[in-house]
Amino acid sequence: MNILNEPIQLKSGVIIPNRIVMAPMTSKGSSWDGIIEEEDLKFYQKRNQVAGLIITGATAVSELGENFSYQMSIYDDRFIPGLSKLAKLIKGNGNKAVVQLYHSGANSKVSYQKHGKVVAPCLVDFPHLPYIVSELTDEEIWSIIKDFGQATIRAIKAGFDGVEIHGAYSHLIQQFFSTYSNKRVDYWGGTLEKRMNFALEIVKEVQNTVEKYAQRDFIIGFRIMEEEFHWGSTGYDFQDTLKLIDRLSDTNIDYIHGTTNRYGKLFKEVIEGRTALIIVPHASSAEDALKGLEYGDMISIARAALIEPYFAQKIREGKVADMATEITSTEMANSLGFPSKLTKWMLDPMGLSIVPKGMNYFK
Ligand SMILES: Cc1cc2nc3c(=O)[nH]c(=O)nc-3n(C[C@H](O)[C@H](O)[C@H](O)COP(=O)(O)O)c2cc1C
């Protein structure tokens, strides 16, 4: 287990005290307006020893980018006081705090409820969506890219150690990368190279912002989704992703974060040490976590971090037989600091679609 406890220095210079990462999880403890409240603070306080690098749930960089209700936002300065409290308590035990930045594009159903408008790379009839989307103009696209920069300034001001750009789970960055949702034929689409431009311009904007505003080493990570399939069509496959990873590896970012353990070997070969790779081994034990390090420089855990808030600490102290592997009651969820809306979401069979069937430890 020793390697899990080894520190790692990222490209920016930031040292992560061990190889375990808490994957981003929307915790639903914020207000309807996206302001961090007590429930969210309690959730993260409880988990500030779960990993060496702790990534917050997705935060919306634009008003029109919200997918989930009661998640935290970062699109305005009024969110900074809550974000500052959050950064401080995540870092309370010497672990590093990263905030995940996202825009949900076509899937911004909460923004639709609030503002009656949803934007997307183009006018695709998304059968799963109960509304019509608006196609982004070139100017609007650049404005969203700037929003990622502004969000980064707020993350710096709030005291975070870094940001993760969310390019996965079918949100806007992935919508631009996918041939299913991007039929544009301008700078933003038409070829694989052009479908990467939105992601790469955001990385550039965030890097320029960090250079200008961060007076300290500051982490920039990027989350990718390995592939995207639909009934009868392919948005993109892992070969396309390998090309994106190659381009991202050239940008000097700190890490690339996947969403599974598939293709780890291929990703590592393409990256060739240019950046760190975070693998998601769907771990429920220290042993699973260790396996993820075969190809990953670090591993991330999501549900295991919900269930066992002392995951990294117990590995460090050699208490692996002591780790919790399931949540058996709502009372237990409460004692683990779950916001009430998170418990509800996890119990709802239609709620959290990203938890694979048969892998929900939440009984
Ligand atoms: C409650 C919950 C909320 C999540 N919210 C996010 C999120 O905001 N951003 C994100 O990139 N992934 C999110 N995920 C996905 C996780 O980061 C992770 O990729 C997924 O759960 C698989 O990892 P696991 O097998 O360790 O749970 C969420 C997962 C869960 C369980």
Side-chain angles (χ1 to χ4, degrees), residues 23-26 57-58 100 166 169 223 259 280 282-283 300-303 306 342 345-346 352 354-355:
M25 278 182 283
T26 297
Q100 190 186 45
H166 192 355
Y169 290 122
R223 191 159 209 199
T259 63
V280 185
H282 303 301
S300 76
I301 50 167
R303 284 164 295 161
L306 294 179
L342 176 62
W345 195 30
M346 295 211 65
L352 193 61
I354 49 176
V355 175

Side-chain angles (χ1 to χ4, degrees), residues 62 64-67 102-112 117-121 126 129 131 133-134 136 144 170-173 175-176 198:
S62 316
L64 291 185
E66 289 183 280
N67 183 317
Y102 97 124
H103 188 303
S104 196
N107 295 326
S108 303
K109 48 184 190 286
V110 168
S111 296
Y112 182 72
K117 184 177 176 188
V118 168
V119 295
F126 297 101
L129 297 177
Y131 44 71
V133 299
S134 308
L136 284 162
I144 292 174
S170 298
H171 300 301
L172 186 58
I173 295 177
Q175 289 160 28
F176 269 97
F198 186 62

